[in-house]
Amino acid sequence: MTQKITAGRSRTIQTKLVLPPDTNHMGTIFGGAVLAYIDEIAAVTAMKHSGKAVVTASIDTVNFLSSARVGNILLLEGVVISTGRTSMEVYVKAECQSIESGEKTLTTTAILTMVAVDEAGMPTPVPGVVPETEHEKKLFKSAQERKQRRMKINEYAKELV
């Protein structure tokens, strides 16, 4: 991993409209729908960074902070915040925006680990990342702690089998 590229190169923004099929009986978006959007934007973000196909290795944290309702606009933003040899951590945030007021509310944050793969589906090296914003720098600095936590969780998961 000698080459490094800026986090801004991977930054991806998607906009979705919250429609009735995406919502529950209370008119708020299903968590599973939000997770699907998060996984999609994380994959696109990681592909932009690596120039390779990617697979989801883990969804490390998901924080549902508030709900989006039918008719809200859902704004998703993803950025690569750290890398390993073949893996990339992607931070995703989702905000909902009211069509009437234009007010934005943070609804969800997540960190996913994506792995770049070659044509045979085998892990392949990725460039390093240079964080740019203060938030990216903070997340970059704590990447090793998250990696250690993931390793412990993976060990625990093996015990469950």
Side-chain angles (χ1 to χ4, degrees), residues 121-159:
M122 299 303 295
T124 187
V126 300
V129 66
V130 178
E132 297 175 294
T133 69
E134 288 306 313
H135 190 239
E136 291 164 3
K137 290 174 185 177
K138 180 180 175 186
L139 291 170
F140 182 82
K141 286 181 183 176
S142 58
Q144 195 60 35
E145 292 173 32
R146 287 189 302 277
K147 181 178 180 181
Q148 294 301 320
R149 186 174 58 231
R150 271 193 305 276
M151 291 171 69
K152 285 181 185 176
I153 291 169
N154 286 342
E155 285 303 312
Y156 176 72
K158 289 177 187 174
E159 294 173 12

Side-chain angles (χ1 to χ4, degrees), residues 5-151:
I5 56 179
T6 61
R9 178 170 164 186
S10 69
R11 188 174 320 283
T12 304
I13 298 173
Q14 291 180 346
T15 305
K16 307 278 188 179
L17 178 61
V18 180
L19 298 170
D22 301 324
T23 62
N24 59 30
H25 63 286
M26 297 183 305
T28 59
I29 195 164
F30 282 118
V34 176
L35 283 173
Y37 296 153
I38 286 170
D39 192 36
E40 178 184 17
I41 195 169
V44 171
T45 301
M47 287 187 281
K48 286 172 63 175
H49 180 85
S50 66
K52 304 284 183 184
V54 300
V55 295
T56 306
S58 67
I59 299 176
D60 301 336
T61 59
V62 178
N63 301 294
F64 294 104
L65 306 169
S66 65
S67 296
R69 303 193 65 76
V70 170
N72 286 152
I73 297 168
L74 197 61
L75 307 162
L76 297 109
E77 180 178 350
V79 65
V80 172
I81 55 171
S82 72
T83 60
R85 192 179 75 76
T86 62
S87 64
M88 295 155 281
E89 267 192 325
V90 179
Y91 172 77
V92 177
K93 74 174 181 177
E95 296 177 306
C96 74
Q97 182 176 7
S98 166
I99 294 172
E100 295 85 21
S101 70
E103 180 182 344
K104 292 181 185 177
T105 305
L106 182 63
T107 64
T108 312
T109 61
I111 295 177
L112 299 85
T113 301
M114 312 300 285
V115 174
V117 293
D118 62 18
E119 299 79 21
M122 299 303 295
T124 187
V126 300
V129 66
V130 178
E132 297 175 294
T133 69
E134 288 306 313
H135 190 239
E136 291 164 3
K137 290 174 185 177
K138 180 180 175 186
L139 291 170
F140 182 82
K141 286 181 183 176
S142 58
Q144 195 60 35
E145 292 173 32
R146 287 189 302 277
K147 181 178 180 181
Q148 294 301 320
R149 186 174 58 231
R150 271 193 305 276
M151 291 171 69

